[in-house]
Amino acid sequence: MKSIVFGLQWGDEGKGKVTTYLSRKYDYVVRYSGGSNAGHTVEYGDFKLVHHLVPSFDVRTDTIGYISNGVVVDLEVLNKEVEELKRLGFDVSKRIKVSNLAHVVLPVHKMLDEKFEMAKGDKAVGTTKRGIGPAYADKVHRIGLRLVDFEDKQNALEKLKFISELYKNLYSIDWTDYDKVFEEYEKIRSFVVSPIEIRKELQNSNVLFEGTQGVMLDIDMGSYPYVTGTYCNTTGVEPGLGYPMNIDKRIGVFKAYLTRVGEGPFPTELFGEDAEKLRKAGKEYGATTGRPRRCGWLDLPLLKYAIEISDCTEMIMTKADVLSCMDKILVGVRYTLCGKKIELPTNLEMLSKVEVEFIEFEGWKDLNDVNFKKFVEFLEKETGRKITYISTGANVEDIVKM
Ligand code: IMP
Ligand code: MG
């Protein structure tokens, strides 16, 4: 069995918790894209984990996590996560594998991310400043450093010096602390594997692919340019692995309302008191940056678009319990522009101008409430997809099969 769990919105749909819950039925959880911009919070009850790079497997089982070459790896972040797990009594060092073709996020990438954002002024994307865009850009510029380069220290050192020179000349960025990179590499070198070696194993195992962010932040199919530097859609699995992979299930996760971090249009956005109420109830603050997330109502045109382009086969809804803080629940059902109905525009100028027609649902006290059942039925009918699980709280066990 091969499945993907991915986000149907702008990230933070609760994929980390869902992936952790589902991971128990799989031998591998594979991260196929993104980097430490991702922040997946998983509450186990007596402890809580925030995953940035370690795949979201249940740490109490023996599922293995593979970080494929589609991911850009900040070695320091990975080491910190592994250390934190050790501190909690989970030695996962035998259960993490990283592709030797994965590119490394260097301090210069984070410095350039910051510099670019500053220079863009009001055109800034609102990145997480984790160096994701610059690391992918250097991969394409063909100057990136891969884990395989460290097999020969001299070779890695020469590459680091070359990158450092380029950054100095092109961007006036000064950085020469190569020792720190080698130090971090030494700590993870036992995790490094060849993607060729692991290919057969993946083919013969039950694998859960873990998406990062959400479809609307996909570099091609998302709300460009307000997107991340890579594939958040289900299409990222193959480029992320470097070889074909047949997938049985594409499980899209969506939140019963909507949030977004960073800039870009958000047609169903709420402001003022209602936004604050939702933000507080849903603890909507970035797991990576701590930024308050922008909050709004569920956007059906956007959800339908994400379902279509991802070929989503089933859905999981999260955080419907949070909506019990609201008396009325709204869902955006149609976009209009100057009185005319329009489909989801890929043209961002239009997306920022559309007006949204909403329909209203009576609020629910809990998820057994008949009002909640009506909400679920409506969404299934509109999207043509089954909601197979509903997450009922923050804890990894708080989930019910439908
Ligand atoms: P970057 O990925 O740091 O380059 O940021 C690009 C855009 O993606 C910004 O709007 C970020 O806020 C957003 N983003 C990146 N990672 C996440 C995430 O894990 N959740 C939600 N938004 C994210
Ligand atoms: Mg997150």
Side-chain angles (χ1 to χ4, degrees):
M1 166 77 83
K2 307 280 189 288
S3 310
I4 313 180
V5 172
F6 68 100
L8 284 166
Q9 293 160 326
W10 274 300
D12 304 312
E13 297 91 351
K15 297 177 298 295
K17 171 242 168 92
V18 166
T19 308
T20 305
Y21 176 82
L22 296 176
S23 73
R24 300 162 189 172
K25 290 193 192 137
Y26 295 84
D27 310 306
Y28 276 88
V29 174
V30 176
R31 272 284 301 271
Y32 60 88
S33 77
S36 57
N37 50 349
H40 297 163
T41 309
V42 184
E43 296 196 14
Y44 282 89
D46 35 358
F47 64 99
K48 174 174 137 176
L49 295 175
V50 181
H51 294 254
H52 297 290
L53 281 164
V54 171
S56 305
F57 52 71
D58 188 326
V59 292
R60 303 164 300 186
T61 65
D62 52 11
T63 306
I64 296 172
Y66 174 53
I67 300 170
S68 81
N69 26 270
V71 178
V72 288
V73 183
D74 185 324
L75 302 176
E76 198 180 340
V77 174
L78 179 58
N79 280 322
K80 278 204 182 120
E81 258 183 89
V82 173
E83 280 308 311
E84 172 63 4
L85 281 165
K86 261 196 203 137
R87 195 186 65 77
L88 290 165
F90 301 102
D91 185 0
V92 293
S93 50
K94 296 257 173 347
R95 291 167 50 201
I96 295 179
K97 296 177 194 282
V98 188
S99 165
N100 66 8
L101 300 185
H103 281 245
V104 175
V105 178
L106 295 168
V108 287
H109 296 133
K110 288 182 261 189
M111 290 152 100
L112 185 59
D113 200 347
E114 176 105 41
K115 208 165 178 173
F116 246 110
E117 284 285 278
M118 289 282 280
K120 283 178 174 172
D122 64 3
K123 293 196 174 54
V125 172
T127 72
T128 59
K129 306 214 173 88
R130 294 298 187 269
I132 305 303
Y136 281 114
D138 280 357
K139 179 173 179 174
V140 178
H141 285 141
R142 282 142 295 168
I143 59 165
L145 190 79
R146 304 192 290 183
L147 286 167
V148 69
D149 294 319
F150 288 91
E151 282 170 18
D152 175 346
K153 189 168 177 182
Q154 196 51 37
N155 169 37
L157 185 61
E158 273 165 31
K159 287 195 166 151
L160 282 170
K161 283 184 175 162
F162 181 65
I163 295 168
S164 167
E165 275 297 300
L166 280 176
Y167 268 73
K168 194 168 176 193
N169 296 336
L170 291 171
Y171 310 116
S172 308
I173 285 175
D174 267 311
W175 170 80
T176 51
D177 190 4
Y178 314 133
D179 287 348
K180 175 89 171 111
V181 181
F182 287 109
E183 213 177 281
E184 297 292 344
Y185 168 73
E186 281 310 315
K187 294 189 218 159
I188 65 125
R189 72 181 298 160
S190 65
F191 305 167
V192 180
V193 297
S194 144
I196 308 303
E197 268 167 43
I198 206 170
R199 191 175 86 97
K200 282 251 148 53
E201 209 171 314
L202 291 179
Q203 275 176 340
N204 297 327
S205 304
N206 293 315
V207 184
L208 183 59
F209 292 94
E210 177 183 12
T212 47
Q213 294 86 42
V215 166
M216 294 312 293
L217 286 174
D218 183 270
I219 182 95
D220 285 327
M221 303 308 281
S223 47
Y224 190 90
Y226 300 102
V227 294
T228 187
T230 186
Y231 304 114
C232 305
N233 197 356
T234 48
T235 50
V237 170
E238 292 191 350
L241 283 175
Y243 32 78
M245 186 62 58
N246 288 327
I247 306 287
D248 306 295
K249 284 186 190 179
R250 284 177 287 275
I251 308 165
V253 185
F254 73 101
K255 192 141 64 177
Y257 49 98
L258 190 55
T259 61
R260 166 162 216 183
V261 219
E263 304 306 318
F266 184 168
T268 60
E269 185 163 12
L270 281 166
F271 299 93
E273 247 173 59
D274 280 349
E276 198 47 45
K277 205 163 154 185
L278 207 48
R279 188 174 302 120
K280 277 223 175 82
K283 300 198 183 83
E284 297 295 353
Y285 299 89
T288 299
T289 59
R291 287 182 289 180
R293 294 179 184 141
R294 297 159 66 191
C295 296
W297 296 117
L298 184 64
D299 182 330
L300 211 48
L302 199 117
L303 187 65
K304 285 180 179 170
Y305 168 80
I307 289 170
E308 188 180 325
I309 60 160
S310 61
D311 214 357
C312 172
T313 56
E314 60 186 77
M315 303 195 292
I316 296 183
M317 176 158 59
T318 62
K319 290 191 142 176
D321 52 302
V322 170
L323 279 181
S324 59
C325 73
M326 308 300 257
D327 301 328
K328 302 265 182 219
I329 314 294
L330 267 60
V331 176
V333 289
R334 210 166 291 107
Y335 292 159
T336 58
L337 195 62
C338 307
K340 276 202 197 112
K341 181 188 168 205
I342 55 167
E343 298 302 326
L344 187 89
T346 42
N347 175 343
L348 266 209
E349 299 296 303
M350 269 166 99
L351 191 61
S352 52
K353 286 190 199 130
V354 292
E355 283 182 33
V356 184
E357 279 176 29
F358 289 94
I359 60 166
E360 194 179 282
F361 289 82
E362 290 299 321
W364 47 82
K365 285 191 285 303
D366 56 48
L367 302 187
N368 296 316
D369 198 317
V370 63
N371 290 339
F372 178 63
K373 292 207 166 80
K374 282 185 194 158
F375 182 72
V376 173
E377 276 166 22
F378 170 78
L379 294 179
E380 288 191 333
K381 185 165 163 272
E382 283 290 319
T383 58
R385 299 296 186 285
K386 243 196 108 48
I387 297 176
T388 49
Y389 287 92
I390 291 180
S391 164
T392 57
N395 194 290
V396 70
E397 311 299 337
D398 295 338
I399 191 163
V400 289
K401 199 168 173 31
M402 300 303 287

